[in-house]
Amino acid sequence: MKCNRSSLAVVVLVSLLGVGACSGPGDGAPQRLRVEVIGSSPHDPRAFTQGLEVVDGVRYESTGMWGVSSARAADQATGSETARVDLPGRLFAEGMTKAGDIVWQLTWQDEIAIARDPVTLAEIRRVGYPGEGWGLCAQPDRLIMSDGTPKLTFRDPVTFAETGSVTLTGYRDPKPNELDCAADGTVYANNYPTDEILRIDPGTGRVTGVIEAGGLLTTEERQRTDVLNGIAQLPGTDRFLLTGKYWPHLFEVRFVPK
């Protein structure tokens, strides 16, 4: 409802009752948050990180660029690499997630999703999809995929068939990149090409929070790196891992109100 003269009496009445009749410009706006750094660990500065996830003590990572794209797995506790598969030179890898007994890995403009063994990361099969692949994460009954537009696409975790979609609202020009499906049902997305992370309600598409994650790297480090990209909740905690393309660090953080 717009506030005008005809509604003034109503406004006065409800204000006396302690109820808001008219929405102000900030009502319904996403919550603003920042990152609180808990610690950091080394990260491969040659990795053009496209996907990051921690499941059952394993850290999965997908890296991009032609000729050097890979799927990687490491022990989260020690950081030791346990599996790695390099993609053919013509494929440019993107987001990756574990869904049941499958690790799915996207490609950017190749319109191919690769199903992998979760232990060895060996390729099992390929499935085609239209358009670009950016980020990917898994909820118990579905995959959620981004393509660089304000739309998130839902997919079957076994067949990769599209099952629905939602368009993001409540934020200017969202470009969700890497995705993380958090334990509480929320989706977090790196907002390309910024240092912001979007917190999304995937049921409605509403952006409910914006996390400012700038300043994690030094000025010198920032000159040698690319954008923030890579977000993974640490299971059973309120903490997340953050990194980026060619970043030399993995940061363990919390998201706290500004």
Side-chain angles (χ1 to χ4, degrees):
M1 178 174 75
K2 292 182 179 180
C3 289
N4 51 43
R5 291 182 179 178
S6 63
S7 61
L8 181 58
V10 176
V11 173
V12 172
L13 175 62
V14 296
S15 64
L16 291 173
L17 296 173
V19 181
C22 297
S23 297
D27 291 356
Q31 181 186 16
R32 305 297 300 197
L33 302 104
R34 61 178 178 85
V35 296
E36 176 185 71
V37 177
I38 307 302
S40 66
S41 57
H43 179 253
D44 183 357
R46 299 164 298 178
F48 194 78
T49 302
Q50 303 286 63
L52 189 70
E53 185 172 271
V54 178
V55 183
D56 298 329
V58 179
R59 184 172 71 236
Y60 293 98
E61 184 171 3
S62 176
T63 73
M65 283 292 176
W66 296 281
V68 292
S69 287
S70 67
R72 308 180 184 189
D75 184 283
Q76 171 58 20
T78 66
S80 299
E81 191 169 273
T82 58
R84 175 171 174 166
V85 175
D86 296 326
L87 276 69
R90 64 183 180 83
L91 296 181
F92 191 120
E94 282 279 350
M96 188 164 72
T97 193
K98 183 178 185 290
D101 294 329
I102 300 173
V103 169
W104 285 104
Q105 185 177 32
L106 301 177
T107 55
W108 180 29
Q109 296 178 322
D110 304 291
E111 300 186 330
I112 294 170
I114 303 171
R116 299 188 177 279
D117 179 274
V119 177
T120 66
L121 298 180
E123 182 176 325
I124 300 170
R125 67 180 190 276
R126 297 184 180 187
V127 178
Y129 59 83
E132 295 187 358
W134 285 43
L136 189 68
C137 68
Q139 293 187 321
D141 59 347
R142 64 183 179 182
L143 303 175
I144 302 180
M145 174 179 164
S146 64
D147 62 2
T149 73
K151 183 178 78 170
L152 296 179
T153 300
F154 307 133
R155 295 188 176 276
D156 184 276
V158 176
T159 67
F160 210 73
E162 182 175 344
T163 59
S165 65
V166 67
T167 299
L168 302 192
T169 63
Y171 183 83
R172 65 188 186 285
D173 191 29
K175 292 183 179 178
N177 195 359
E178 214 273 305
L179 304 179
D180 184 73
C181 290
D184 64 358
T186 300
V187 172
Y188 290 86
N190 289 120
N191 191 46
Y192 182 81
T194 74
D195 287 329
E196 292 182 334
I197 296 168
L198 307 182
R199 186 183 66 199
I200 302 162
D201 177 349
T204 63
R206 183 78 182 175
V207 175
T208 63
V210 178
I211 301 116
E212 296 182 8
L216 291 172
L217 299 178
T218 67
T219 301
E220 182 180 357
E221 288 171 336
R222 204 61 204 252
Q223 292 174 352
R224 302 193 300 267
T225 58
D226 208 311
V227 298
L228 177 76
N229 200 48
I231 176 171
Q233 186 176 31
L234 292 171
T237 77
D238 62 348
R239 303 188 304 275
F240 292 78
L241 293 181
L242 298 182
T243 193
K245 303 174 189 294
Y246 303 136
W247 283 30
H249 309 291
L250 277 166
F251 293 94
E252 183 176 330
V253 305
R254 289 191 183 96
F255 301 143
V256 297
K258 290 192 66 178

